Amino acid sequence: MRKIYNFSAGPAVLPEEVLEQAREEMLDWHSSGMSVMEMSHRGKEFMSIADETESALRELAGIPDHYKVLFLQGGASSQFAMVPMNLLGEKGKADYVNTGQWSAKAISEARNYGSIQIAASSENDGFNSVPPLAQWHISPGTAYVHYASNETIGGVEFQWIPDLSAAAGGSKDIPLVADMSSNFLSRPFDVSKFGLIYAGAQKNVGPAGLVVVIVREDLLDIPPLAGTPAMFRYKTHADNTSMYNTPPTYAIYIMGLVMEWLKKQGGLTAIEQRNITKARLIYDLIDTSSFYHCPVNRADRSRMNVPFTLSDPGLDEAFLKQAQAHGLIQLKGHRSVGGMRASIYNAMPLEGVQTLVTFMREFEKNHA
Ligand SMILES: *Cc1c(COP(=O)(O)O)cnc(C)c1O
């Protein structure tokens, strides 16, 4: 057992069992005589690791056959460019929903490639909520609609999947694109409602660098923008089962171990229940205290990233220092918002959250 609980927003905590298994297999994977890092990506050993990782993901998320799973590099940030390069097509325009800093990054990158409209925004309320579908305006001829299902910095999470046929100007034929980096596999989700989903691995499924893309096959027929490099075309990777070039082999292997761990936990329905329990423990404490405060609209609060402030910011440093002494680390809020942030992804054990809540109560008692 490790002695700390790591509340980092990413790279983030991984299941201890996964790290132990990786340690055991480090020098000699399944009597192959090789570390996974040393294997040819085209050899039968690594091919079996990649295949099993994909099929475990497909099973966990219930991914239909007409969707491709791609294991790419460059993190979720590379998708901010790859999505418009590949999906704008001759329409040349797309709609984005703006719920905070990650949405904004995706929007500003997409603007390099086409005409980008804001379908809805929560800017007026300080990005502390999700704009209800009744406020969305989909522009005519849009190639797709993009949103971030969980704003890792603001702690704002969609508790619903947008139904574009119910939005003004929308229709069910418009592909829905989601940046799921920080809540991927934290709950069940219906893949068939999306055109494309992407998720950087380092929040919930593995090491940084790897980004998982789930894309509906018909979208691969859209011609990419002229000049799109081979490495930035989804079709390149789909046609070569993510082996066009050397994929991030070790990261895929670790992700495979995390998929097996998730299955052992009982899959996404079971992990969702645990995530609800963990998040509720912290939010209940915050809401019954005048010492701690969370600015996010209750209905839109993230189960993965809990931002909170102390009533006296002058106590921030003491809070962080004493938390650290209790083995509770990486609680400092994002530099842009200050305060605290507890990231409690799938791999954060319930005991970690209980320890945090006990510490927060005690700190309040001593300083209120
Ligand atoms: C972390 C994060 C990203 C960026 O991921 P990188 O791997 O650093 O590129 C993008 N979107 C969301 C929602 C994130 O949480």
Side-chain angles (χ1 to χ4, degrees):
M1 276 290 282
R2 291 184 287 179
K3 291 194 184 69
I4 53 111
Y5 291 111
N6 175 4
F7 293 91
S8 169
V13 60
L14 284 166
E16 197 155 301
E17 297 95 307
V18 163
L19 298 176
E20 275 165 2
Q21 189 174 344
R23 177 178 61 191
E24 273 160 36
E25 296 175 346
M26 175 61 74
L27 296 187
D28 182 8
W29 181 84
H30 293 202
S31 308
S32 64
M34 291 179 280
S35 171
V36 174
M37 274 181 263
E38 303 169 310
M39 290 174 181
S40 161
H41 56 297
R42 304 193 194 280
K44 69 175 180 348
E45 294 90 355
F46 185 75
M47 296 284 265
S48 78
I49 290 172
D51 280 353
E52 279 168 33
T53 303
E54 177 174 341
S55 50
L57 170 63
R58 282 185 175 277
E59 182 186 331
L60 279 163
I63 302 175
D65 288 344
H66 61 296
Y67 284 76
K68 292 275 192 213
V69 171
L70 309 177
F71 297 114
L72 308 183
Q73 313 187 48
S77 299
S78 66
Q79 295 308 307
F80 296 163
M82 255 181 111
V83 166
M85 286 173 126
N86 286 273
L87 300 189
L88 280 172
E90 54 195 27
K91 293 195 164 108
K93 48 187 178 176
D95 283 16
Y96 279 64
V97 176
N98 187 5
T99 51
Q101 296 197 33
W102 288 115
S103 299
K105 279 202 164 172
I107 291 163
S108 99
E109 186 75 342
R111 290 206 154 123
N112 292 322
Y113 303 102
S115 156
I116 303 302
Q117 302 297 319
I118 304 304
S121 168
S122 53
E123 188 169 5
N124 284 342
D125 121 84
F127 296 112
N128 282 318
S129 63
V130 164
L133 204 57
Q135 291 174 10
W136 294 29
H137 291 279
I138 312 297
S139 46
T142 189
Y144 60 88
V145 175
H146 177 283
Y147 78 110
S149 58
N150 183 60
E151 285 284 356
T152 322
I153 295 170
V156 171
E157 183 173 15
F158 277 76
Q159 307 298 334
W160 40 280
I161 295 174
D163 171 6
L164 295 180
S165 69
S171 95
K172 66 168 174 40
D173 299 326
I174 301 169
L176 181 64
V177 176
D179 175 356
M180 279 197 193
S181 296
S182 50
N183 66 353
F184 189 52
L185 306 185
S186 68
R187 57 168 83 199
F189 58 106
D190 183 352
V191 175
S192 74
K193 298 222 152 58
F194 296 89
L196 186 146
I197 292 165
Y198 60 93
Q202 75 273 29
K203 314 291 164 61
N204 238 345
V205 294
L210 171 65
V211 54
V212 182
V213 173
I214 302 171
V215 56
R216 212 175 62 209
E217 268 169 5
D218 60 285
L219 299 181
L220 299 172
D221 297 334
I222 299 170
L225 300 186
T228 301
M231 276 297 288
F232 267 55
R233 294 170 184 246
Y234 290 127
K235 198 157 187 318
T236 302
H237 299 287
D239 288 348
N240 292 281
T241 56
S242 305
M243 304 256 184
Y244 170 73
N245 74 323
T246 317
T249 52
Y250 199 76
I252 293 169
Y253 157 72
I254 297 288
M255 176 175 162
L257 299 184
V258 173
M259 296 302 100
E260 292 308 318
W261 176 83
L262 263 175
K263 287 208 285 187
K264 265 190 245 148
Q265 306 304 304
L268 302 192
T269 309
I271 208 78
E272 175 180 41
Q273 288 313 312
R274 287 175 36 180
N275 287 332
I276 290 172
T277 304
K278 288 187 293 180
R280 195 171 282 157
L281 274 175
I282 308 186
Y283 288 119
D284 280 355
L285 164 64
I286 291 170
D287 289 338
T288 52
S289 139
S290 50
F291 187 79
Y292 298 108
H293 177 69
C294 171
V296 181
N297 183 35
R298 284 192 194 206
D300 307 316
R301 284 175 172 177
S302 170
R303 292 176 190 160
M304 298 284 103
N305 312 95
V306 182
F308 62 94
T309 53
L310 312 191
S311 52
D312 174 5
L315 289 170
D316 283 5
E317 220 168 290
F319 181 93
L320 288 165
K321 218 172 144 202
Q322 291 179 35
Q324 174 120 27
H326 282 74
L328 306 163
I329 67 162
Q330 303 271 19
L331 283 163
K332 197 177 163 79
H334 190 269
R335 59 189 183 279
S336 63
V337 289
M340 309 297 154
R341 173 174 50 170
S343 294
I344 49 173
Y345 298 114
N346 287 348
M348 171 58 66
L350 178 62
E351 301 76 52
V353 175
Q354 287 166 334
T355 308
L356 172 63
V357 165
T358 305
F359 165 73
M360 286 170 71
R361 282 219 174 85
E362 196 182 310
F363 189 87
E364 175 174 0
K365 215 172 64 199
N366 295 336
H367 293 89

